[in-house]
């Protein structure tokens, strides 16, 4: 999870747990730290299950992170959910064009968010992204 607002991060994690998802959540509040983590060889090899991404970070735009992740031959298979306050239609389309899977505007309806995460988890449990 890449989210600079710690209150939002706690709320997101709480609702992921309410969706009965027990996976580890690694939280970053700056884009550079998230990229350093994502581009470690071990993470690239095994891949993160899901990336939750805010667009408005203190050190860079989340779209920069999205672009780098989707340009990587291994990380591009990781689903990316953008969670942000930005509701500009052009920015939303840009994120989808760059490869984001779901775009959610804050404030989030957390019941719907928990349901979407549960459904995504079920989808991922039956689907295997092809090796590239």
């Amino acid at each position: 999870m890449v989210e600079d607002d710690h209150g939002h991060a706690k709320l997101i994690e709480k609702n992921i747990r309410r969706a009965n998802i027990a996976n580890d959540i690694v939280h970053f509040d700056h884009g550079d730290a998230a990229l350093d983590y994502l581009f470690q060889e071990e993470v690239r090899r095994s891949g993160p299950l899901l990336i939750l991404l805010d667009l408005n970070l203190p050190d860079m735009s989340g779209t920069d992170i999205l672009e780098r992740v989707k340009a990587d031959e291994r990380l591009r298979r990781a689903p990316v959910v953008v969670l942000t306050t930005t509701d500009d239609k052009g920015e939303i389309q840009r994120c989808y064009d760059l490869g984001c899977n779901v775009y959610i505007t804050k404030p989030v309806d957390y019941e719907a968010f928990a349901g979407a995460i549960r459904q995504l988890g079920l989808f991922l449990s039956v689907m295997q992204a092809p090796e590239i």
Side-chain angles (χ1 to χ4, degrees):
M1 172 177 17
V2 188
E3 170 61 67
D4 64 318
D5 183 311
H6 289 274
H8 283 161
K10 286 182 186 269
L11 197 52
I12 291 166
E13 183 169 355
K14 175 183 172 187
N15 283 282
I16 288 171
R17 300 300 180 218
R18 283 176 53 195
N20 294 319
I21 295 172
N23 297 65
D24 290 337
I25 297 173
V26 183
H27 174 226
F28 301 95
D29 58 8
H30 283 76
D32 283 334
L35 286 172
D36 288 346
Y37 173 79
L38 289 169
F39 281 88
Q40 291 177 36
E41 191 53 38
E42 181 181 332
V43 174
R44 284 185 69 246
R45 195 172 34 253
S46 61
L49 180 61
L50 173 68
I51 299 171
L52 300 171
L53 180 62
D54 186 12
L55 294 184
N56 303 309
L57 300 166
D59 60 342
M60 68 176 56
S61 168
T63 54
D64 295 333
I65 297 170
L66 177 60
E67 192 167 17
R68 293 223 12 227
V69 164
K70 293 302 181 175
D72 184 81
E73 76 270 359
R74 293 216 177 242
L75 293 177
R76 75 172 52 139
R77 293 178 287 144
V80 176
V81 176
V82 172
L83 289 163
T84 190
T85 57
T86 306
D87 64 356
D88 175 71
K89 291 192 184 312
E91 190 71 9
I92 294 168
Q93 187 59 53
R94 181 169 182 238
C95 286
Y96 281 118
D97 290 346
L98 289 172
C100 105
N101 300 83
V102 178
Y103 190 105
I104 301 173
T105 304
K106 298 176 200 169
V108 175
D109 172 349
Y110 281 99
E111 285 298 320
F113 172 72
I117 294 296
R118 267 194 303 273
Q119 288 179 334
L120 183 57
L122 289 172
F123 173 76
L124 293 173
S125 72
V126 297
M127 292 296 297
Q128 176 62 44
E131 291 290 330
I132 295 184

